[in-house]
């Protein structure tokens, strides 16, 4: 297939672009490089630099594209609380421009990066796709609005859409001899594992642990971590599953929860560094427990994660060491 990958210069989009190329697809990346890196775009993919609003229609029109994989977004929860307008504009507004561009060009399949943040504070665990969606911040609300728009474009314009609701994505794609590995390198890093690894690298003295008074076994937040390569495999299946006129939603997590202390322990074991911890107050808006039921994608699309938390930390650790 000929595919447009929005956000393909970012962490997840660059990994999935490499997997798509490996599977024999043709890839064009559209990215404004607001948080991505041109050199993360894998060899063999063409990069068009620009926003969805400015460039999507021009790229898609007459381009012979079969489908779009839509990763481009602003995704810092804290920033979204400070600047809700930016998140509505950049996430919902630019996604609507993309959907209109697809409609104009007759491209009918889209796989979209949705998020666990659409659920907000869950009522029960593990979270099912049918559970209530009550986002607690503008980031999650803007992503939920895009899911809703996709359902309308499916119903009214015959688009085939799949929303994948990622839980906590981690790890890296390590390339073989001479190839370029891809992983997380955000200028503003809020995610737990890369922040712990910065301590192991000696770039930070200690890791902040945001809250140890949660109603969880060790008092720290519990999350469901998924390896970025397993996540990518789900995109290939989702692409095949796009059916005109239907919008489907699947959770994407490994289905087991690890506390912040568990994660730090695994990082200590992998790096051999003691990783000092500084306990700080809770981070605003963090739910105590977020664990996915991934039954629907396992039975519906035959997806199965193959990599555990230790593999995620090992690959992220190899990546950051190679990137120094
Ligand atoms: N990382 C996670 O754990 C996680 C969890 C849930 C959902 N997601 C979603 O997955 C997607 C990818 O996340 P990531 O961690 O790779 O983020 P990232 O910031 O590394 O990648 C996003 C990419 O999109 C580009 N971009 C942003 N806005 C754009 C626009 N309007 N036009 C063109 N390009 C634009 C950026 O330059 C960047 O390259 C996002 O949609 C995010 O919301 C990520
Ligand atoms: O330096 C840090 C960073 C994080 N944490 C804690 O570690 C856990 C995981 O935090 P991350 O920032 O790594 O991930 P989140 O669970 O906050 O975020 C993930 O889920 C969100 C939905 O809730 C969004 O989808 C987001 O993009 C995705 O990365 C949280 O309890 C957080 O408080 C720390 O203690 N110290």
């Amino acid at each position: 297939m000929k595919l447009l990958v929005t956000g393909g210069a970012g962490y997840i989009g660059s990994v999935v672009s490499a997997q798509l190329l490996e599977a024999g697809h043709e890839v064009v990346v559209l990215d404004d490089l607001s948080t991505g890196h041109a050199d993360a775009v894998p060899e063999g993919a063409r990069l068009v630099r620009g926003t969805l609003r400015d460039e999507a229609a021009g790229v898609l029109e007459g381009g012979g594209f079969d489908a779009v994989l839509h990763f481009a977004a602003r995704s810092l929860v804290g920033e979204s609380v400070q600047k809700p307008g930016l998140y509505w504009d950049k996430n919902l507004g630019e996604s609507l421009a993309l959907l209109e561009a697809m409609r104009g060009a007759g491209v009918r399949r889209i796989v979209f990066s949705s998020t666990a943040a659409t659920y907000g504070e869950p009522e029960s665990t593990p979270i099912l796709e049918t559970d209530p969606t009550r986002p607690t911040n503008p980031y999650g609300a803007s992503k939920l609005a895009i899911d809703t728009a996709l359902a309308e474009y499916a119903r009214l314009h015959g688009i085939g859409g799949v929303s994948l609701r990622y839980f906590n994505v981690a790890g890296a794609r390590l390339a073989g001899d001479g190839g370029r590995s891809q992983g997380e390198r955000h200028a503003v890093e809020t995610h737990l594992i890369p922040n712990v690894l910065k301590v192991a690298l000696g770039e930070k003295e200690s890791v902040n642990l945001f809250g140890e008074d949660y109603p969880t076994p060790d008092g720290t937040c519990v999350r469901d971590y998924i390896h970025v390569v397993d996540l990518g495999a789900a995109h290939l299946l989702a692409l095949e599953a796009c059916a005109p006129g239907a919008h489907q939603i699947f959770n994407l997590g490994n289905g087991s929860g690890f506390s912040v202390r568990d994660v730090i322990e695994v990082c200590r074991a992998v790096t051999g560094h003691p990783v000092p911890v500084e306990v700080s107050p809770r981070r605003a808006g963090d739910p105590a427990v977020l664990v996915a039921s991934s039954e629907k994608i396992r039975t519906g699309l035959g997806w199965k994660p193959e990599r555990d938390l230790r593999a995620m930390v090992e690959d992220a650790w190899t990546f950051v060491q190679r990137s120094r």
Side-chain angles (χ1 to χ4, degrees), residues 147-209:
D147 284 343
T148 308
L150 283 173
E152 299 281 47
Y153 273 72
R155 194 166 62 87
L156 302 170
H157 296 310
I159 294 244
V162 173
S163 291
L164 297 175
R165 289 194 172 151
Y166 311 163
F167 281 63
N168 289 59
V169 188
R173 179 178 180 276
L174 303 178
D177 287 348
R180 199 189 299 144
S181 301
Q182 288 136 320
E184 211 162 354
R185 48 187 179 121
H186 295 128
V188 178
E189 190 50 80
T190 59
H191 291 147
L192 177 62
I193 293 172
N195 275 323
V196 178
L197 297 182
K198 277 184 206 281
V199 180
L201 282 175
E203 292 175 8
K204 274 177 71 176
E205 278 195 1
S206 60
V207 64
N208 285 322
L209 192 166

Side-chain angles (χ1 to χ4, degrees), residues 115 117 168 190-192 208-210 221 223 260 283 286 290:
T115 165
N168 289 59
T190 59
H191 291 147
L192 177 62
N208 285 322
L209 192 166
F210 298 133
C221 289
R223 293 289 181 271
V260 175
R283 191 171 68 177
D286 276 344
L290 284 176

Side-chain angles (χ1 to χ4, degrees), residues 204-288:
K204 274 177 71 176
E205 278 195 1
S206 60
V207 64
N208 285 322
L209 192 166
F210 298 133
E212 54 175 3
D213 57 350
Y214 285 95
T216 58
D218 69 10
T220 69
C221 289
V222 170
R223 293 289 181 271
D224 182 346
Y225 294 86
I226 172 172
H227 196 293
V228 67
V229 171
D230 286 332
L231 183 98
H235 286 72
L236 283 126
L237 297 170
L239 199 52
E240 302 295 335
C242 285
H247 175 234
Q248 308 171 69
I249 297 176
F250 297 99
N251 287 341
L252 258 188
N254 278 14
S256 35
F258 292 91
S259 74
V260 175
R261 285 210 182 271
D262 290 336
V263 172
I264 294 170
E265 220 32 76
V266 172
C267 292
R268 286 180 176 138
V270 168
T271 62
H273 190 283
V275 186
V277 167
E278 181 121 357
V279 178
S280 319
R282 290 182 179 195
R283 191 171 68 177
D286 276 344

Side-chain angles (χ1 to χ4, degrees), residues 7 10-12 31-32 34-36 71 73 94 139 143 166 169 186:
Y11 166 42
I12 301 170
D31 198 300
D32 67 1
S34 52
T35 58
F71 299 92
E94 300 235 2
Y139 164 66
K143 288 281 183 170
Y166 311 163
V169 188
H186 295 128

Side-chain angles (χ1 to χ4, degrees), residues 17-28:
S17 292
Q19 290 172 292
L20 293 167
L21 289 165
E22 215 169 56
H25 298 296
E26 183 181 345
V27 172
V28 176

